[in-house]
Amino acid sequence: MTRRTFITHTATIGALGFLPAHTEEPAVPSTRYALYDITWRFDLSHHAGQTSLWIPIPSDIEGFQHVVKLGWNSDASECFETARNRDGARTLYALWEKNAAAKTLNLRFTVALRDRRCDFRPRRICSEAIKEAQAFLAPSAHLPTDGAVARVAAAIVAREKEPLTKARRIYDWIVANSYRDESVMGCGIGSPNAMLAALEKEGRMGGKCLDMSALCVALMRASGIPAREVTGVRVGPSRFSSAFGAGEEITKAQHCKVEFFTPQHGWIPCDPADITKLVLKEGIEKTSPRARELTDLFFGFWENNWMALNHARDFDLYPANAQGVLDTFGYPYGEVEGEYLDPFGPASYRYAIRSTKGTL
């Protein structure tokens, strides 16, 4: 087989004014860039039969994330990057024929991250951006906006009309009524109806980041606020808490956040799920001064130790896979002779992700 190597999206680091990433920062947002080198290694040689692999890869996000360089090498018969999907999510695709003796792929990229914070000062948002955001008001197969979601949203926002105030009420409500359940696999299933059913039955909702993010998005959409989940991976330590950070081994460091849109501010980041993780990991109360401080900060904030992948939901892969539409695309997805590999089991793929601080 022909071994293929591609290198794309290079940039001059000095021109962007990057500073070394470190963890001895005060617990306040920073304007400094953190630079991370990411390696993602796959070995599917133990699988017999034709094997296909789709890997989510990051894109630039203005003011927060910049992919400095991206490259890979593989013994696959086909290996290429594509964004041919409804959401424009960048994907690396590889195909190994049935008789391939080796099925390996190494993906390498460097990403620069800076704290993303909304200062909530009104600014001019172009009409095109406002129009494009309206697509994120619609319900989807996994994000209903009727039934229980509509009833709960109406109770939370009441007669409030101002989008930012409605969004904050929904965010605070999720923090107050949910808890992190470590028994949940991966990032959760992301079912708003399942979360609300648990609340009605038990008086609280357990889950992980996709569960809380999906509910937040559904409630916001039902309240007339465009919103979407953003899947990603923690790539380094946090300045705020070990609950929000990762070491060099990040194979299981996936994390989902939220962003919502107002015509006065554009897209605004937030993260209700990490507050529940903070409470669990540090053994503190949600009403404690520390939890309240970070609850306030995380409404309008993403830290520069988390890398966004995409906001895909109900995702159609390209080239088309045998099993059909994916719920989300935050993990690699693979099929052997049309049968899918467990997306939450790195051992099924024999893959590992590592992150190290970049150097200037």
Side-chain angles (χ1 to χ4, degrees):
M1 292 186 182
T2 302
R3 189 169 187 86
R4 305 173 180 215
T5 303
F6 304 86
I7 300 292
T8 59
H9 300 285
T10 58
T12 302
I13 295 175
L16 295 172
F18 297 156
L19 293 174
H22 59 91
T23 59
E24 298 177 359
E25 292 282 349
V28 295
S30 171
T31 59
R32 295 188 175 193
Y33 276 96
L35 200 65
Y36 291 96
D37 295 320
I38 313 296
T39 59
W40 205 332
R41 301 183 185 280
F42 291 83
D43 186 351
L44 291 85
S45 305
H46 58 298
H47 289 292
Q50 187 181 76
T51 302
S52 297
L53 178 65
W54 294 260
I55 308 169
I57 53 179
S59 299
D60 288 357
I61 300 175
E62 184 178 358
F64 172 66
Q65 175 171 295
H66 178 68
V67 181
V68 180
K69 60 182 178 181
L70 173 72
W72 62 87
N73 58 72
S74 178
D75 44 33
S77 58
E78 293 184 49
C79 190
F80 59 85
E81 181 186 340
T82 176
R84 187 173 168 179
N85 54 75
R86 180 188 61 192
D87 299 289
R90 292 178 70 188
T91 306
L92 184 63
Y93 172 73
L95 171 68
W96 291 268
E97 299 298 345
K98 184 175 183 177
N99 61 352
K103 299 174 181 177
T104 63
L105 186 151
N106 295 324
L107 171 65
R108 309 173 307 279
F109 56 91
T110 300
V111 62
L113 300 167
R114 184 169 63 179
D115 284 354
R116 178 183 177 188
R117 188 180 193 187
C118 178
D119 60 15
F120 298 108
R121 289 182 295 184
R123 58 192 181 92
R124 185 177 180 180
I125 306 298
C126 70
S127 58
E128 182 179 354
I130 294 173
K131 182 178 179 180
E132 289 176 352
Q134 301 311 297
F136 297 95
L137 280 171
S140 69
H142 294 93
L143 289 171
T145 57
D146 58 358
V149 171
R151 292 193 298 273
V152 171
I156 295 171
V157 304
R159 297 177 181 272
E160 181 59 50
K161 301 298 183 183
E162 205 282 316
L164 192 60
T165 303
K166 290 195 291 184
R168 181 59 197 253
R169 287 186 181 181
I170 292 167
Y171 169 87
D172 286 341
W173 182 88
I174 290 176
V175 170
N177 289 281
S178 60
Y179 70 95
R180 182 176 174 85
D181 184 350
E182 292 284 17
S183 69
V184 171
M185 184 176 294
C187 291
I189 62 173
S191 170
N193 282 337
M195 292 287 281
L196 294 179
L199 178 66
E200 184 175 0
K201 181 179 179 180
E202 304 173 15
R204 60 178 189 158
M205 307 172 292
K208 283 189 178 174
C209 55
L210 180 60
D211 301 310
M212 296 168 205
S213 295
L215 180 56
C216 184
V217 167
L219 292 171
M220 286 184 177
R221 291 187 183 185
S223 303
I225 304 167
R228 58 198 184 194
E229 308 105 311
V230 185
T231 61
V233 185
R234 303 183 200 272
V235 295
S238 169
R239 306 190 310 276
F240 302 96
S241 170
S242 61
F244 310 143
E248 291 190 352
E249 168 58 49
I250 61 170
T251 306
K252 296 184 178 182
Q254 290 83 1
H255 180 58
C256 180
K257 297 178 183 281
V258 172
E259 59 181 357
F260 64 93
F261 186 92
T262 78
Q264 294 77 35
H265 307 92
W267 286 103
I268 299 172
C270 69
D271 190 351
D274 254 358
I275 302 303
T276 64
K277 187 174 184 181
L278 172 80
V279 168
L280 175 66
K281 297 297 185 181
E282 295 193 2
I284 61 177
E285 297 294 328
K286 293 178 183 177
T287 55
S288 67
R290 175 164 170 74
R292 286 181 173 178
E293 178 186 14
L294 288 171
T295 298
D296 287 343
L297 175 62
F298 278 28
F299 184 78
F301 177 77
W302 290 349
E303 192 180 0
N304 66 353
N305 70 329
W306 175 82
M307 174 184 70
L309 291 171
N310 57 65
H311 55 258
R313 198 82 201 261
D314 303 306
F315 187 74
D316 285 306
L317 291 168
Y318 178 84
N321 61 321
Q323 296 294 322
V325 175
L326 303 187
D327 182 356
T328 61
F329 191 40
Y331 290 78
Y333 179 85
E335 291 182 344
V336 178
E337 294 293 334
E339 295 297 322
Y340 88 102
L341 299 172
D342 179 6
F344 302 122
S348 298
Y349 299 79
R350 293 183 182 170
Y351 78 76
I353 318 173
R354 292 190 63 81
S355 172
T356 56
K357 291 180 181 179
T359 57
L360 294 176

